[in-house]
Amino acid sequence: ATMVVGKGTASFGKRHNKTHVTCRRCGKRSFHLQKGTCSACSYPSARLRKYNWGTKAQRRRTTGTGRCRYLKTLPRKFKNGFREGTVAKSQKKRAA
């Protein structure tokens, strides 16, 4: 019986070359070294990789999945009419 090497257990021991490393933009291990592009976010392309057939993937990386450092203060600023450089009136004078 001759040994036929397939894609299974026997061939897994021979795999020791990395095709993908971590991407600088999205942080996933999807950056293809020889191609020089990320399969998850398509870095170094300026546009982020996004397809409508991948609805769940869009949900994972959409607005609101991060810290929203700028967006989370917007409702409060909008309520006050985006005022800047003013000082609140003293509460002590009003009470008297």
Side-chain angles (χ1 to χ4, degrees):
T2 55
M3 286 291 289
V4 180
V5 179
K7 299 179 194 171
T9 315
S11 68
F12 270 86
K14 296 181 176 72
R15 301 185 187 192
H16 50 71
N17 297 326
K18 285 186 176 139
T19 17
H20 295 91
V21 292
T22 44
C23 173
R24 298 161 74 175
R25 189 203 266 161
C26 67
K28 285 189 168 187
R29 190 162 159 277
S30 308
F31 188 79
H32 196 284
L33 281 170
Q34 286 186 323
K35 283 184 188 172
T37 54
C38 176
S39 55
C41 71
S42 78
Y43 176 84
S45 163
R47 293 171 190 228
L48 207 63
R49 179 181 174 273
K50 179 180 82 78
Y51 294 104
N52 285 332
W53 47 258
T55 320
K56 268 179 148 179
Q58 285 179 5
R59 207 182 304 150
R60 284 184 209 112
R61 61 178 77 151
T62 190
T63 314
T65 54
R67 282 172 61 185
C68 292
R69 296 198 284 287
Y70 173 73
L71 272 178
K72 64 183 171 190
T73 60
L74 268 188
R76 172 174 49 85
K77 287 179 179 179
F78 172 76
K79 182 182 72 177
N80 296 320
F82 295 98
R83 64 178 178 214
E84 282 184 334
T86 57
V87 183
K89 290 177 182 173
S90 176
Q91 293 291 319
K92 292 177 184 175
K93 289 178 183 175
R94 287 185 183 177

